[in-house]
Amino acid sequence: MSAQPDHAPLTPYAPAPGAPAELLAQLRADKRADTWVPAFERQWAAALEESRKSFSLAPLYEVVQEWQGLIVSAPAVDAFVASDYDDSDFLDMAELRGRRR
């Protein structure tokens, strides 16, 4: 009898080795670089420290994946903001919670 599993385990998302550097270059080229680059660097440093403690690359992968998603979705967010969408009927849930107290 074999101790091997009868199914192949799922491979976790693993970015290319150069992905963090490419990501940082994209962030620096973006119009939001003043806020995005320092935020990425803080998250990367925290993930790097966590990876050192846990001996896992998962925290680093998560940071790369999150920021890749932000970059990909930024044009859609920009288009939505530029559309002058009327959100005057928006309910501010924080304000509603404050009224209950």
Side-chain angles (χ1 to χ4, degrees):
M1 179 176 268
S2 173
Q4 297 296 319
D6 61 351
H7 63 281
L10 293 176
T11 305
Y13 167 78
E22 291 172 16
L23 184 58
L24 189 54
Q26 288 177 322
L27 293 173
R28 287 183 175 143
D30 193 275
K31 65 183 179 184
R32 302 165 194 83
D34 292 344
T35 55
W36 279 14
V37 170
F40 172 78
E41 289 173 340
R42 280 191 304 272
Q43 278 188 288
W44 184 257
L48 189 57
E49 186 60 30
E50 178 62 29
S51 290
R52 286 181 182 141
K53 291 177 183 176
S54 66
F55 297 101
S56 170
L57 295 175
L60 298 170
Y61 293 169
E62 290 170 8
V63 170
V64 169
Q65 190 172 18
E66 177 183 342
W67 282 93
Q68 286 173 334
L70 285 171
I71 287 175
V72 167
S73 63
V77 172
D78 290 341
F80 177 78
V81 170
S83 73
D84 293 328
Y85 177 78
D86 179 16
D87 63 352
S88 60
D89 61 345
F90 173 74
L91 294 175
D92 185 352
M93 296 306 291
E95 184 180 326
L96 288 175
R97 286 187 201 105
R99 289 184 189 170
R100 291 183 188 167
R101 293 180 183 175

